[in-house]
Amino acid sequence: MSHQQTKKVLKNMPSIPASDQMHQAAEYFKSLQERITKAFEGLEEGASFECTAWEKTPEDRLQGYGEMRLMRGDVFEKVGVNFSFVHGVFSEEFVKQIPGAEENEGRFVACGISLVAHMKNPHAPTVHMNLRRIETAKSWFGGGADLTPTIEYEEDTTHFHDILKQACESYSETAYPTYKKWCDEYFFIKHWNEPRGVGGIFIDSLDSGDQLKDFAFIKEIGDAFLDSYMPILEKRIATDYSDADKQKQLQKRAKYVEFNLLYDRGTKFGFMTGGNPEAILMSMPPVASW
Amino acid sequence: MSHQQTKKVLKNMPSIPASDQMHQAAEYFKSLQERITKAFEGLEEGASFECTAWEKTPEDRLQGYGEMRLMRGDVFEKVGVNFSFVHGVFSEEFVKQIPGAEENEGRFVACGISLVAHMKNPHAPTVHMNLRRIETAKSWFGGGADLTPTIEYEEDTTHFHDILKQACESYSETAYPTYKKWCDEYFFIKHWNEPRGVGGIFIDSLDSGDQLKDFAFIKEIGDAFLDSYMPILEKRIATDYSDADKQKQLQKRAKYVEFNLLYDRGTKFGFMTGGNPEAILMSMPPVASW
C-alpha cells in the first residue's frame, strides 16, 4: 500500500490523525520488511515467504492494515516478519498504562515491524527484532533486537552486540549501555531466574524531544539488523548437530514461549487491543518441548 | 508423609494453623494421587511414574511440601499428577483477589491434587483434573475436571459428562448444570473465540456452610475421575492414526499452552505465590507446534 493509500484508509476511520512522522515511519518499516525478507529468502533453496495482507474494517475495535510474512524452510524452521499500521481506542484498563492516552480519550495510532526467526539448526540462534512508533497525545518510538542461542558462541554474542553498539553510538554515548541494560532487565524469565537469551538492546520509549533525531536512530537500528544477524547465520546453519542438540533447542524454545505468553508486553498489547491472534502468535516457535 | 508428620512440619512454620479438615483433605488427595498413578501405570508396559518429593524451607516465601509424579511412556506421552500442601503469605497484589485474605494479613494454607495427561495417540483426549482446599480467614474447596480431545468422539464426551453428572447429583440438583456452565465459561480461549475442549465441571469456590457435605462432594468427584477417563483411554489408545492426526494434536496442544499461560488462574496463583516452576509447568504438553 502506498503512502497515499495509507492516508486514504485512515481518513475513513473515526480516530486521531497520524502525523507525517508516523507515515514516514510506516514507509521505512515496510521497506525494511521487504529488505529483510529478501535477504532471508537468499539463504533458502526452495522456500519463500508467504505474504498475507490484512485490513481491519471500521466494525473492529482495532482498525488499520498490515502484512504478515511467514516462511517455513530448510534453514529457517519458522520465521515471521510482520508489518502493521493500526489505530483505535485502548481499553479502560490499558489507558492508564500508556503515556498520553488519558489526555486523548484512549485513542492511539501505531505502526511497527516485528520479527522472530526460529532456525532449524540449534547452533544458529533465535533472533527477535521489533521497531515501532506510537502516537497518543504524546508520541514516541520504541523497539530493539535480542539474540537467544541454544548453544552459545561467544564470538556470535560479541558480534551481535558490537553491531548494535555501533548503531547506538550515532545517537548518543549513553544509548548503548542504557538500552543494553533495559534489554537484560526486560528479557528475564522470573520464574526460572534466568535471562531469555544473551541480550541486545531494548528501547521502551524514545522521546528526546527531537523527532528527526529519534527517527534517524530507529533507522540506524533497523539498517543494522541484517549486519548483526546474517553473518552469524552464515557461520552456523551448516554445522552438524545431534539429536541431543535439537532436543536442547526445543526445551530452550519452551522457555521462549513461557516468556512471550507470561511476561511480554507486546503480546499483551496485541491481545488487549484486539489484535489478530495469528499475527501476535507469529513469534511462537514451530515446535517446542516441555 | 503421615498425618502426624504433616502436623509437625507445619508446627515449625510461622503461619496460620491448618484445620483438621485441611489435614483430612490432604490425606484424601494423597491417597487419590496414589490410586490414579497406579491405574495409569497399568496401561504402560515399561514406564512408571518418577516421584519427586519436595519441601520448602522456612527461608522460602512459600512453605510446605509436596510430591510431583511424572511419567513419560508409550501410552501417556506425558502425564503429571502432583500433590502439594503449602502455606505462606499472599503478595499484596494477590490479597485483594482472595476471599478472607485481607482479614488474615494475607496468610493462607492450601492443599491440592493437580493432574494433566497428554496422550501419545491423538484419538485419546487430554484430561485435566484438580481438587483443592484453601484456608484464609475463610475456607473453601474447589476444583473440577475437563476433557480436551483433538479428534472428538461424541460418545466419549457423553460418557465423561455422565460420570461427572452422577458425582454432582449426590450433592445437589443444581450442582451439575452450574459447574458445567462455569467450566465452559472458564476454559474458553478468548483470542481464538473457541472453547479449550469439550468441558466438564469447574468449581471456583465451594462453601455451602456444611464443610462435611462439601468435602464429601469433593471426594465424589475425585473418586469418579478414573471412571470418567479410563474407559475412554481403553477405547482409544490402540486406534491407528496418521501423521496428519498427530500434527493436529500438536496444534491443539499449542492452544492448550496459550490458555494455561495467558488465562489460567491456577498457573498465575502458582507463580504469584512463588511456587515451584517445575510443578506449575507440569501441565505443559511434551511437544506442541505453532
Side-chain angles (χ1 to χ4, degrees), chain B residues 128 143-149 152 157 160-161 164 175-190 193-204 259 263 265:
Chain B
H128 160 246
D146 66 284
L147 204 66
T148 307
E152 194 187 340
T157 304
F160 188 75
H161 282 283
L164 292 175
Y176 177 69
T178 304
Y179 302 136
K180 182 183 186 301
K181 189 164 168 274
W182 285 8
C183 187
D184 290 339
E185 287 165 0
Y186 182 77
F187 292 105
F188 190 81
I189 308 176
K190 270 174 263 171
N193 196 33
E194 66 181 44
R196 182 172 86 167
V198 296
I201 57 170
F202 177 78
I203 306 169
D204 193 22
F259 179 87
Y263 306 118
R265 291 204 294 262

Side-chain angles (χ1 to χ4, degrees), chain A residues 68-83:
Chain A
M68 296 188 283
R69 294 191 181 184
L70 183 73
M71 179 167 70
R72 295 177 192 262
D74 291 330
V75 175
F76 291 87
E77 194 174 327
K78 181 183 174 191
V79 53
V81 189
N82 290 356
F83 165 79

Side-chain angles (χ1 to χ4, degrees), chain A:
Chain A
M1 210 180 268
S2 74
H3 193 145
Q4 285 311 313
Q5 284 174 304
T6 304
K7 282 197 166 169
K8 192 167 153 263
V9 167
L10 283 171
K11 224 180 112 190
N12 294 331
M13 292 174 179
S15 192
I16 54 173
S19 70
D20 270 352
Q21 189 88 78
M22 180 65 84
H23 289 294
Q24 282 162 26
E27 291 306 313
Y28 173 71
F29 296 148
K30 271 191 286 193
S31 72
L32 186 61
Q33 181 192 39
E34 179 65 19
R35 216 190 316 160
I36 291 171
T37 52
K38 281 286 157 294
F40 283 178
E41 281 176 346
L43 294 179
E44 291 283 350
E45 292 281 316
S48 60
F49 277 90
E50 191 181 311
C51 304
T52 311
W54 53 268
E55 197 172 318
K56 290 273 191 175
T57 67
E59 286 77 44
D60 294 314
R61 205 175 85 207
L62 186 77
Q63 297 168 24
Y65 68 97
E67 188 176 330
M68 296 188 283
R69 294 191 181 184
L70 183 73
M71 179 167 70
R72 295 177 192 262
D74 291 330
V75 175
F76 291 87
E77 194 174 327
K78 181 183 174 191
V79 53
V81 189
N82 290 356
F83 165 79
S84 68
F85 189 125
V86 294
H87 59 133
V89 181
F90 287 124
S91 67
E92 249 177 79
E93 196 188 340
F94 221 48
V95 160
K96 286 166 200 158
Q97 301 171 39
I98 308 282
E102 275 189 304
E103 295 95 299
N104 210 15
E105 296 152 333
R107 293 182 301 171
F108 73 97
V109 189
C111 72
I113 179 172
S114 182
L115 174 160
V116 177
H118 295 281
M119 309 310 297
K120 186 162 274 177
N121 193 316
H123 293 284
T126 296
V127 78
H128 160 247
M129 190 273 286
N130 162 254
L131 295 171
R132 57 188 177 270
R133 177 175 171 86
I134 302 178
E135 297 183 354
T136 57
K138 302 186 174 176
S139 64
W140 64 95
F141 288 97
D146 66 285
L147 204 66
T148 306
T150 295
I151 297 155
E152 192 186 341
Y153 292 91
E154 214 180 300
E155 62 184 280
D156 294 355
T157 304
T158 302
H159 169 79
F160 188 77
H161 283 282
D162 279 352
I163 299 291
L164 292 175
K165 187 166 182 258
Q166 282 168 34
C168 287
E169 278 167 355
S170 68
Y171 186 70
S172 84
E173 256 183 44
T174 56
Y176 177 69
T178 303
Y179 302 135
K180 182 182 186 298
K181 190 164 167 273
W182 286 8
C183 188
D184 290 339
E185 287 166 358
Y186 182 77
F187 292 104
F188 191 81
I189 308 177
K190 269 175 263 170
H191 60 277
W192 293 118
N193 196 34
E194 67 183 42
R196 183 172 85 166
V198 297
I201 57 170
F202 176 79
I203 307 170
D204 194 21
S205 173
L206 187 73
D207 181 16
S208 70
D210 182 344
Q211 300 256 327
L212 286 179
K213 188 185 168 199
D214 293 351
F215 186 29
F217 178 32
I218 289 298
K219 284 190 282 195
E220 284 286 343
I221 299 171
D223 293 346
F225 173 74
L226 285 171
D227 293 337
S228 74
Y229 190 50
M230 289 294 276
I232 298 174
L233 290 191
E234 279 152 14
K235 231 186 253 177
R236 306 297 168 202
I237 56 176
T239 308
D240 283 340
Y241 60 88
S242 64
D243 287 350
D245 293 334
K246 189 68 191 173
Q247 197 48 40
K248 203 177 158 196
Q249 185 194 44
L250 301 191
Q251 286 164 357
K252 186 80 179 167
R253 286 178 182 170
K255 292 181 176 179
Y256 210 83
V257 170
E258 292 166 25
F259 179 87
N260 286 12
L261 298 180
L262 286 170
Y263 306 119
D264 186 52
R265 292 204 293 260
T267 306
K268 278 208 180 70
F269 181 93
F271 284 127
M272 290 188 76
T273 52
N276 179 351
E278 301 276 2
I280 298 166
L281 295 167
M282 173 273 297
S283 65
M284 292 292 112
V287 186
S289 181
W290 281 266

Side-chain angles (χ1 to χ4, degrees), chain B residues 136-171:
Chain B
T136 57
K138 299 184 176 177
S139 64
W140 64 94
F141 289 96
D146 66 284
L147 204 66
T148 307
T150 295
I151 298 155
E152 194 187 340
Y153 291 91
E154 213 180 302
E155 61 182 282
D156 294 355
T157 304
T158 303
H159 169 79
F160 188 75
H161 282 283
D162 279 352
I163 299 291
L164 292 175
K165 188 167 182 259
Q166 283 168 33
C168 287
E169 279 168 353
S170 68
Y171 186 69

